[in-house]
Amino acid sequence: AQRVTQPEKLLSVFKGAPVELKCNYSYSGSPELFWYVQYSRQRLQLLLRHISRESIKGFTADLNKGETSFHLKKPFAQEEDSAMYYCALSGYGYGQNFVFGPGTRLSVLP
Amino acid sequence: EAGVVQSPRYKIIEKKQPVAFWCNPISGHNTLYWYRQNLGQGPELLIRYENEEAVDDSQLPKDRFSAERLKGVDSTLKIQPAELGDSAVYLCASSGAGPSYEQYFGPGTRLTVT
């Protein structure tokens, strides 16, 4: 069964410090991985997906199939990055399931 | 573009009462999802539609939950009868075609069962 784990419920960093939000997954095939974000009083929205290899708002994430990880990183955190971050996984193709991790709340302190 | 529309935004009911949630996806999106999000947890997929077909309802408690997506557009999720443990936020999302595509979420319906 596919599963996503995020070991940290809460991560606090100071402004300007590097950030790494951890995500590990279990999946038998080749997964597609996503990071979704929910800012205060806003809807859940896509931050980035591994297949696009983009850097969004300074965040990047690399899929490591050997370690089954998809950690989210940003070199210099900003206060506006404070939000809930969810790692998510999907298989490819019609009928594949989609599963979210439990989420990590990032708090960037001034 | 209004995005995904959900109603009602809030609902308070007594246990054993029925409740229904409505979702209107983004125009042209074939895939529609219903999630339940308990406090402090990630969204849990209840059911996914590809057009009118429910392709993944493995997590839907079928003894009390039902869903429909007539004509492949709007969708309704129903709980009958509601239990205390059903208190949660119910999210609707839509995407272009399947879960590999970006999902656009609605604002959610916060259900409180007393």
Side-chain angles (χ1 to χ4, degrees):
Chain A
Q2 56 201 69
R3 189 179 177 212
V4 176
T5 57
Q6 295 177 251
E8 303 131 333
K9 278 198 165 184
L10 174 65
L11 182 63
S12 295
V13 301
F14 287 102
K15 176 182 172 181
V19 171
E20 182 178 68
L21 290 86
K22 291 183 168 53
C23 171
N24 289 89
Y25 67 91
S26 60
Y27 185 70
S28 57
S30 293
E32 178 148 14
L33 277 298
F34 307 80
W35 278 98
Y36 278 80
V37 61
Q38 188 166 26
Y39 301 102
S40 179
R41 299 188 186 87
Q42 294 188 28
R43 303 182 183 198
L44 194 58
Q45 60 185 285
L46 179 67
L47 179 62
L48 57 80
R49 48 193 295 191
H50 91 273
I51 197 170
S52 62
R53 299 184 181 278
E54 291 177 305
S55 172
I56 307 295
K57 299 184 178 181
F59 284 97
T60 59
D62 290 319
L63 177 60
N64 186 323
K65 292 186 178 181
E67 296 183 357
T68 60
S69 68
F70 188 57
H71 302 328
L72 184 68
K73 300 176 184 179
K74 185 170 183 177
F76 308 103
Q78 303 298 315
E79 289 182 68
E80 55 265 30
D81 296 328
S82 296
M84 274 301 288
Y85 291 80
Y86 296 95
C87 185
L89 175 153
S90 170
Y92 285 99
Y94 182 85
Q96 292 295 322
N97 296 329
F98 192 91
V99 62
F100 278 94
T104 296
R105 179 170 296 282
L106 175 63
S107 178
V108 182
L109 308 172
Chain B
E1 178 80 69
V4 176
V5 179
Q6 289 188 249
S7 68
R9 293 293 310 279
Y10 305 91
K11 189 75 175 178
I12 301 174
I13 61 171
E14 294 183 346
K15 63 181 180 181
K16 300 185 182 180
Q17 295 299 306
V19 65
F21 314 121
W22 176 79
C23 173
N24 182 246
I26 291 174
S27 178
H29 280 188
N30 298 326
T31 308
L32 185 146
Y33 313 75
W34 282 105
Y35 292 91
R36 176 172 58 190
Q37 186 172 23
N38 293 310
L39 190 64
Q41 298 181 23
E44 173 196 16
L45 181 67
L46 293 175
I47 189 168
R48 183 176 99 234
Y49 283 95
E50 299 286 348
N51 299 302
E52 302 91 348
E53 182 184 0
V55 297
D56 181 6
D57 63 355
S58 56
Q59 301 301 314
L60 190 73
K62 297 182 182 64
D63 57 337
R64 298 184 299 108
F65 286 64
S66 64
E68 60 181 11
R69 191 184 184 196
L70 300 177
K71 300 182 181 179
V73 182
D74 295 5
S75 178
T76 302
L77 178 69
K78 298 178 182 178
I79 309 175
Q80 183 171 10
E83 297 179 351
L84 294 176
D86 295 330
S87 294
V89 174
Y90 291 82
L91 295 167
C92 179
S94 68
S95 68
S100 297
Y101 290 79
E102 177 177 358
Q103 295 183 43
Y104 294 82
F105 283 82
T109 297
R110 183 176 296 278
L111 173 67
T112 302
V113 182
T114 62

